[in-house]
Amino acid sequence: MAGAGFWRGADHYRLFPPKGLPGRKLQHTITIKKTYSMIEILKQPWPWYVAGPLIGLIVPALLLLGNKHFGLSANFRHACAACLPAKIPFFQYDWKKERWNFFFAAGIIGGALLASQWLGNPAPIAVHPALAEELGQYGIRNYSHIVPQDIFTFSSLLSLRGLVIMTGGGFLVGFGSRYAGGCTSGHAIMGLSSLQWPSLVATCCFMAGGFLMANVLLPFILQL
């Protein structure tokens, strides 16, 4: 339309009729919604009100489909029961009834590999300036991957800091989750949803331990 004018604001377009025509004072606002393909949606960070309910719905889905309890750290025990020949009472049970959990864990690993290869967000890792400045004091400045490359690499295992964080931390996570009878998925998601008192205690201890580590112990470990 000759003489028509447009004003653009975000995804909104306002059309002004051309001069000399009736209705010059009228303004027509056209809202154009940007559409995304499924691949573009999967590449974006999902908000908590979408990802949270999806994770929570795993609990009733497992209960309804096969009367199974959601949990991941139990696979450590199942793997030891399947592989260790020693007659340890803790591993003497019919682990084959729980082999479905191996497929569940394999699906998580496989999904993570697929997502990292084809669904990765090309945008750089966003780190708050205050946090980046604080971590820079400990020599952590490489944010090219999802975890800092200054710590989580095979070469870092040869350092005292990397040994404590990866080897020591991994042992404590594995041992602690089995000693507590479950991890954050088994207690915080499955246990709390089924109103189990031990899961509430375990979840509170998880949170307290996380706050203690992040605010008190981690600064000393990063200085190693």
Side-chain angles (χ1 to χ4, degrees):
M1 181 181 296
F6 289 91
W7 171 82
R8 178 179 180 182
D11 292 330
H12 302 278
Y13 293 81
R14 182 167 295 172
L15 172 63
F16 297 94
K19 296 181 179 180
L21 291 181
R24 167 60 184 165
K25 295 182 179 180
L26 296 179
Q27 297 178 359
H28 302 279
T29 301
I30 305 174
T31 300
I32 300 178
K33 295 183 179 180
K34 186 177 180 181
T35 58
Y36 297 91
S37 66
M38 181 57 68
I39 296 298
E40 291 175 331
I41 293 175
L42 293 176
K43 287 183 177 181
Q44 303 300 318
W46 289 14
W48 62 268
Y49 52 82
V50 174
L54 288 177
I55 294 175
L57 288 174
I58 295 177
V59 173
L62 288 175
L63 291 175
L64 292 175
L65 294 177
N67 195 26
K68 303 297 184 181
H69 293 273
F70 178 60
L72 289 177
S73 62
N75 285 303
F76 292 129
R77 185 186 182 191
H78 302 332
C80 292
C83 300
L84 293 180
K87 300 297 181 179
I88 302 176
F90 185 70
F91 299 130
Q92 296 301 306
Y93 65 97
D94 188 6
W95 62 270
K96 294 182 180 180
K97 291 183 178 180
E98 305 295 335
R99 58 188 175 187
W100 68 271
N101 219 340
F102 289 132
F103 292 96
F104 189 84
I108 294 177
I109 297 174
L113 291 175
L114 291 176
S116 64
Q117 293 295 323
W118 289 285
L119 299 177
N121 193 331
I125 303 297
V127 181
H128 193 278
L131 177 59
E133 181 180 358
E134 181 180 356
L135 292 177
Q137 299 175 2
Y138 305 109
I140 302 175
R141 299 180 178 87
N142 188 348
Y143 305 109
S144 58
H145 293 73
I146 195 65
V147 292
Q149 295 299 289
D150 302 290
I151 300 178
F152 297 98
T153 57
F154 285 106
S155 60
S156 297
L157 282 173
L158 302 178
S159 66
L160 179 59
R161 181 173 67 175
L163 188 66
V164 171
I165 291 178
M166 288 186 280
T167 306
F171 171 79
L172 290 176
V173 169
F175 176 80
S177 61
R178 296 321 311 146
Y179 188 76
C183 59
T184 51
S185 61
H187 281 304
I189 299 177
M190 182 71 198
L192 291 182
S193 62
S194 56
L195 304 180
Q196 297 186 30
W197 170 251
S199 293
L200 177 61
V201 176
T203 303
C204 292
C205 291
F206 293 157
M207 297 298 295
F211 288 135
L212 177 66
M213 171 57 71
N215 295 282
V216 179
L217 300 180
L218 186 60
F220 291 100
I221 296 176
L222 292 178
Q223 292 177 358
L224 294 177

